[in-house]
Amino acid sequence: MSATSRYRQAWEGFWSEASEEPGSVFWDAGPEVTAGLHLPLLRPHLADPALPLVDLGCGNGTQTRFLAERFGRVVGVDIAAAAVGHARHGDRAGRAAYRVLDAADKSEVETLHAELGDVNAYMRGVLHQCDPDDRQALADGIATLVGTRGRVFLVEPSESARLVLGGLARDPAGPPPKLAPVLRHGIAPGEVADAAVPQYLGSAGLTVLAGGEMPLVTAEFTSDGTRIELPSQWFVAGRAH
């Protein structure tokens, strides 16, 4: 079984079991603490805000619906059909379009780009979920989608996030309820070196236009009521002109 097949199967299992209740999934924090904070970092670097926007790894579509209220055409894509089903069901107003896509698959990405043309893209915490052998392919896929005019905003957990997640997983009382299903389905986040993310982007032909550090906010809380946040880094990238 290929690496892609393994994690496609893992994600299908996870999303098939996931509740449709908002905020019930570990990373399904509301847009006010996720995409709502990211858009102001992306907007100054958009060469063409009118391009379609693709939400890569859209999951159940919480961020996609938010983005669809702010961009003319938004497409949420995910490797798991079960996730896309959740997203479609949650978008009763039909604000965005959704489809199954393996963004590390060259032919699938080229097909989407042929349909949409250059796009702007949003991706939150997807690269570290990929098997190491697929990470450059994912960056290459992003570069194909954004083309010459698009920009991508991505945020990924920092190396130090592994310590936070490891501590939660090893809690004597067990991992937090929303983290437990992630671990059970074998999709525990993998470590990506801090320096590796811009290297992947550069190797794909993209230039980092801006970047910084900010927490990746989750929908889970500790036993004392503190929201769990993972140290993360963000980047805006696109083709140099």
Side-chain angles (χ1 to χ4, degrees), residues 171-238:
D171 190 299
K178 295 176 187 177
L179 180 60
V182 179
L183 302 175
R184 187 173 69 252
H185 285 279
I187 48 178
E191 181 178 317
V192 178
D194 291 346
V197 180
Q199 289 174 356
Y200 286 131
L201 295 171
S203 295
L206 298 176
T207 299
V208 174
L209 306 173
E213 297 180 357
M214 67 186 308
L216 195 156
V217 179
T218 77
E220 186 60 287
F221 297 82
T222 62
S223 56
D224 65 3
T226 303
R227 185 188 288 269
I228 296 173
E229 300 181 352
L230 304 179
S232 301
Q233 51 182 354
W234 62 270
F235 301 92
V236 176

Side-chain angles (χ1 to χ4, degrees), residues 1-162:
M1 184 184 293
S2 70
T4 297
S5 295
R6 279 198 304 274
Y7 58 74
R8 184 193 299 271
Q9 188 176 64
W11 283 113
E12 289 290 3
F14 174 84
W15 283 112
S16 294
E17 293 181 7
S19 167
E20 293 194 349
E21 185 71 23
S24 62
V25 172
F26 181 68
W27 50 81
D28 191 31
E32 69 279 1
V33 292
T34 48
L37 301 181
H38 299 151
L39 279 189
L41 302 173
L42 170 63
R43 283 194 184 279
H45 302 283
L46 292 177
D48 187 348
L51 293 177
L53 186 136
V54 173
D55 182 10
L56 291 159
C58 68
N60 61 4
T62 297
Q63 312 307 320
T64 321
R65 294 189 293 274
F66 173 86
L67 294 167
E69 294 176 347
R70 289 153 179 82
F71 292 90
R73 183 181 185 186
V74 173
V75 179
V77 301
D78 200 281
I79 195 171
V84 172
H86 277 295
R88 286 177 176 148
H89 188 260
D91 190 357
R92 299 184 187 279
R95 288 174 284 186
Y98 304 91
R99 67 181 66 189
V100 177
L101 177 84
D102 178 359
D105 185 293
K106 188 173 186 289
S107 63
E108 291 188 30
V109 170
E110 288 176 344
T111 297
L112 183 60
H113 183 261
E115 176 185 335
L116 299 178
D118 290 355
V119 304
N120 294 312
Y122 176 77
M123 190 175 84
R124 184 171 66 101
V126 175
L127 191 67
H128 74 288
Q129 293 285 4
C130 292
D131 282 4
D133 289 345
D134 288 329
R135 289 171 184 162
Q136 186 60 59
L138 174 59
D140 293 345
I142 293 170
T144 297
L145 289 172
V146 301
T148 59
R149 296 182 296 146
R151 299 288 185 265
V152 59
F153 177 93
L154 67 157
V155 56
E156 291 291 334
S158 305
E159 291 176 49
S160 56
R162 190 176 184 88

